[in-house]
Amino acid sequence: MKQTTVGGNKRKAMNLLAIAVLVIIFMAFMFPFLMVVINSLKQKRDIIKSPFSWLFTIKGLSFDNFVKAFVQMDFLNAFKNSLIVTALSTLVVTLFATMLAYYIVRNKNKISSFTFALMVASMIIPFQAIMIPLVSIYGGTLNVLNHRITLIFMHTGFSMAMSVFMFHGFIKGNIPIALEEASCIDGCSHLQTFFLIVFPLLKPTISTMVILNSLAFWNDFLLPSLVLTDKKLLTLPLSTYSFYGTYSADYGTIMAGLLLCVMPILILYIVLQKQIIGGVVAGAVK
């Protein structure tokens, strides 16, 4: 009994120590974000005088910084551009990736095997390696930069490999071919079988990839900065960067602009975090 008690106490102590370490790490990561939130509600003189002071020690808190950032960033237009690019890119990637993954899994031939191997290999190529040739070809030769459609097309291309890889593993390990055979016996065509039988069963992985791709498209800065130069087409990250260059000395307004940029996708992540976790587990490759 004593050994059991000692072992139990030791395990409890280790668990408490682990929790304490995790809490400290969490606070270390969240502290900068918390400072941004607090200082976005302060006036400039209070930020310079005491940037680490808490809200209840400062007088004159207001949302003027958010109003100023909202107007000066042209937030609604930038939000519209980000929403269009993110929504259409995610939709196209999800549709094409599911169809291609389904074809590769169910058609085991040299072409499908080579295509899948090529897509998996392409995931190790960094974007910076093809950045200059990409801009040179699409800008100098084809002259199709500075269009939202071009950005959507590029987002789709760069996200296809990972999406196909995830859907491929889920289809191969979790969707029995007997369901498709039964639908064919009932008279369904290949398209009907895919969209009525297979596609609904992909919901866990679709939820995961929609969130991951949406986060990537929404927060992307490098690719849009190469494609878009017209101020009317700037996405939120680009608009925030331009805004920062103009108001680099107005710390409160800058922090308010950063929060406005992060807030929509943060809310989306909080609402759908259960689907993300469930999709990652369900889409694990066996």
Side-chain angles (χ1 to χ4, degrees):
M1 293 295 294
K2 291 184 178 180
Q3 292 180 355
T4 304
T5 303
V6 172
N9 291 335
K10 184 177 180 181
R11 177 172 294 180
K12 289 180 180 180
M14 293 298 295
N15 290 338
L16 290 175
L17 179 61
I19 293 173
V21 172
L22 291 176
V23 169
I24 293 173
I25 295 175
F26 174 77
M27 292 177 63
F29 277 101
M30 290 301 297
F31 182 76
F33 180 76
L34 182 61
M35 287 296 99
V36 170
V37 175
I38 292 174
N39 288 315
S40 67
L41 298 171
K42 295 179 183 178
Q43 298 179 5
K44 182 178 178 180
R45 65 174 183 272
D46 294 325
I47 298 175
I48 296 175
K49 183 179 179 181
S50 53
F52 297 103
S53 60
W54 301 101
L55 293 177
F56 54 82
T57 63
I58 298 296
K59 296 181 180 179
L61 298 177
S62 68
F63 290 91
D64 293 342
N65 292 329
F66 288 91
V67 176
K68 184 178 179 180
F70 188 90
V71 175
Q72 298 297 335
M73 284 177 59
D74 195 8
F75 180 82
L76 289 180
N77 182 63
F79 179 83
K80 178 194 69 175
N81 292 330
S82 290
L83 185 63
I84 292 174
V85 171
T86 301
L88 291 181
S89 299
T90 304
L91 178 63
V92 174
V93 169
T94 302
L95 181 61
F96 287 173
T98 52
M99 295 176 70
L100 180 56
Y102 174 70
Y103 175 83
I104 292 174
V105 172
R106 296 298 185 239
N107 294 272
K108 298 179 180 179
N109 51 53
K110 292 183 178 180
I111 295 177
S112 61
S113 300
F114 177 76
T115 302
F116 183 67
L118 191 64
M119 298 190 75
V120 172
S122 68
M123 290 192 294
I124 67 174
I125 301 175
F127 172 73
Q128 290 77 6
I130 59 175
M131 179 174 64
I132 295 177
L134 187 73
V135 174
S136 176
I137 294 173
Y138 281 87
T141 305
L142 301 178
N143 196 25
V144 293
L145 295 182
N146 214 28
H147 296 282
R148 282 193 292 256
I149 297 297
T150 304
L151 181 58
I152 293 170
F153 174 76
M154 291 184 179
H155 274 320
T156 301
F158 288 122
S159 303
M160 280 293 291
M162 176 59 72
S163 299
V164 169
F165 179 75
M166 292 293 292
F167 287 122
H168 178 277
F170 186 87
I171 294 173
K172 186 176 182 180
N174 295 276
I175 299 181
I177 195 172
L179 292 175
E180 302 164 36
E181 294 173 347
S183 66
C184 291
I185 293 173
D186 291 336
C188 290
S189 63
H190 290 295
L191 285 177
Q192 289 174 328
T193 300
F194 175 76
F195 285 107
L196 298 179
I197 305 298
V198 177
F199 194 81
L201 296 176
L202 294 174
K203 183 179 178 181
T205 307
I206 288 176
S207 300
T208 302
M209 296 311 301
V210 164
I211 297 299
L212 295 179
N213 286 329
S214 297
L215 287 170
F217 299 152
W218 186 275
N219 295 322
D220 190 19
F221 174 82
L222 183 56
L223 182 57
S225 68
L226 298 173
V227 176
L228 305 176
T229 56
D230 189 351
K231 289 185 176 181
K232 295 181 180 180
L233 299 176
L234 296 183
T235 58
L236 271 177
L238 295 181
S239 180
T240 304
Y241 178 76
S242 176
F243 174 75
Y244 176 79
T246 305
Y247 296 91
S248 58
D250 195 347
Y251 303 115
T253 307
I254 291 172
M255 294 181 185
L258 292 175
L259 286 179
L260 288 175
C261 181
V262 173
M263 202 173 298
I265 204 67
L266 183 62
I267 294 174
L268 179 64
Y269 179 82
I270 292 173
V271 172
L272 298 178
Q273 59 181 331
K274 290 184 179 179
Q275 284 79 1
I276 297 175
I277 298 173
V280 170
V281 174
V285 180
K286 294 184 177 181

